[in-house]
């Protein structure tokens, strides 16, 4: 069966520090991968998605970037964190090929607090 | 443009009563509809989906959803609510032209003993 791992679960970082959040998927090949941010426990904002290694699409211009160095690894990064980067970051995967009837499956998220 | 509306910010239901969480959508092509549940400090869990066929879709934890094309709705239902159903519920949609999901704002469901 497929599983998705995100770490760390919680992170407290000072303003201006770098960031690296990692997400890995097991049990599937060539998944579509997604990074979301959820603010104030409500709406989801799609940040990045990837349909393959090295292929990243950005939905919202901001202080963050994403990379996909391996088929089942998705990394969210920042060179200098801002206070506004605080939030709950969720990684998700769906089946390959952009199958529109396929749901996305989520990791347990990273709660990021910027001080 | 695609959109999803969850008109209720919060729904309160007594334990044992039926529950409904509302969702309406707007897409240009055939809709693919999804419901997810989120417990505190956890990721979203997939509950059920409508792709085609029977308008009543059954999912996890006793939930079901009814697709209504004329009303462009996909309401989530459960015949008898449990306290453990208390959580945040999200509706999402995509259509033929886009594999990305459009998300509703979420509805907080509170089940009171």
């Amino acid at each position: 069966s497929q599983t998705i791992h995100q770490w760390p679960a919680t992170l407290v970082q000072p303003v201006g520090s770098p960031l690296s959040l990692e997400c890995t998927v097991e049990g599937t090949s060539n998944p579509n991968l997604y990074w979301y941010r959820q603010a104030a426990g409500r709406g989801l904002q799609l940040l990045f998605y990837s349909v393959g290694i090295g292929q990243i699409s950005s939905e919202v211009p901001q202080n963050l970037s994403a990379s996909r160095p391996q088929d089942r690894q998705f990394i969210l990064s920042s060179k200098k964190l801002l206070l506004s980067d605080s939030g709950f970051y969720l990684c998700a995967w769906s089946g390959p090929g952009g199958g529109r009837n396929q749901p996305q499956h989520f990791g347990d998220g990273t709660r990021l607090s910027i001080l | 443009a695609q959109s999803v509306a969850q008109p209720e910010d919060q729904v309160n239901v007594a334990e044992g009563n039926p529950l409904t969480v509302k969702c309406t959508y707007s897409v240009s092509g055939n809709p693919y509809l999804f419901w997810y549940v989120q417990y505190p400090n956890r990721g979203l869990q997939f509950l059920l989906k409508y792709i085609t066929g029977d308008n009543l879709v059954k999912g996890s934890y006793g939930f079901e959803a009814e697709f209504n094309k004329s009303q462009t709705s996909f309401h989530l239902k459960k015949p008898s609510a449990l306290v453990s159903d208390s959580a945040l519920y999200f509706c999402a949609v995509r259509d033929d032209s886009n594999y990305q999901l459009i998300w509703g704002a979420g509805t907080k469901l509170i089940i009171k003993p």
Side-chain angles (χ1 to χ4, degrees), chain B residues 2-113:
Chain B
Q2 301 176 51
S3 65
V4 176
Q6 293 183 243
E8 301 154 318
D9 189 60
Q10 182 170 309
V11 172
N12 298 300
V13 178
E15 186 177 25
N17 284 0
L19 69 87
T20 298
V21 183
K22 295 180 181 178
C23 172
T24 59
Y25 66 91
S26 175
V27 297
S28 54
N30 293 318
Y32 300 82
L33 294 151
F34 303 82
W35 274 104
Y36 288 79
V37 60
Q38 185 182 29
Y39 297 101
N41 296 310
R42 300 295 301 275
L44 280 69
Q45 295 180 35
F46 168 67
L47 280 178
L48 51 80
K49 67 180 179 182
Y50 172 82
I51 305 302
T52 186
D54 194 347
N55 289 343
L56 186 63
V57 179
K58 294 189 182 296
S60 305
Y61 311 122
F63 284 94
E64 57 190 25
E66 186 169 10
F67 171 67
N68 187 317
K69 187 174 183 179
S70 62
Q71 297 185 9
T72 61
S73 67
F74 189 55
H75 300 333
L76 182 70
K77 300 180 180 183
K78 187 172 182 180
S80 179
L82 301 172
V83 173
S84 57
D85 293 329
S86 299
L88 189 57
Y89 290 80
F90 289 94
C91 180
V93 68
R94 65 163 69 100
D95 68 12
D96 294 309
S97 63
N98 197 334
Y99 61 83
Q100 292 186 46
L101 284 172
I102 305 301
W103 295 88
T107 297
K108 187 174 184 179
L109 177 64
I110 297 176
I111 309 299
K112 298 183 179 179

Side-chain angles (χ1 to χ4, degrees), chain A:
Chain A
S1 63
Q2 302 91 351
T3 56
I4 179 169
H5 303 280
Q6 267 189 263
W7 65 91
T10 59
L11 188 61
V12 180
Q13 293 284 96
V15 170
S17 63
L19 173 73
S20 180
L21 301 181
E22 188 163 344
C23 171
T24 59
V25 180
E26 296 177 357
T28 187
S29 296
N30 195 29
N32 293 331
L33 296 172
Y34 309 84
W35 277 113
Y36 288 90
R37 179 167 57 203
Q38 184 178 29
R42 279 303 176 111
L44 294 172
Q45 180 186 36
L46 179 63
L47 301 175
F48 301 95
Y49 67 93
S50 173
V51 299
I53 295 174
Q55 301 178 62
I56 309 294
S57 296
S58 174
E59 289 297 299
V60 182
Q62 56 200 321
N63 186 41
L64 302 170
S65 62
S67 62
R68 185 171 176 173
Q70 300 181 41
D71 181 43
R72 291 168 288 178
Q73 183 185 30
F74 205 23
I75 298 172
L76 183 69
S77 303
S78 174
K79 292 182 179 178
K80 285 187 177 182
L81 285 167
L82 306 173
L83 284 174
S84 58
D85 291 323
S86 292
F88 192 47
Y89 289 83
L90 291 159
C91 181
W93 72 273
S94 65
R100 294 171 181 86
N101 63 346
Q102 298 186 40
Q104 293 178 11
H105 302 278
F106 287 78
D108 276 338
T110 295
R111 186 160 303 281
L112 176 63
S113 299
I114 311 300
L115 303 179

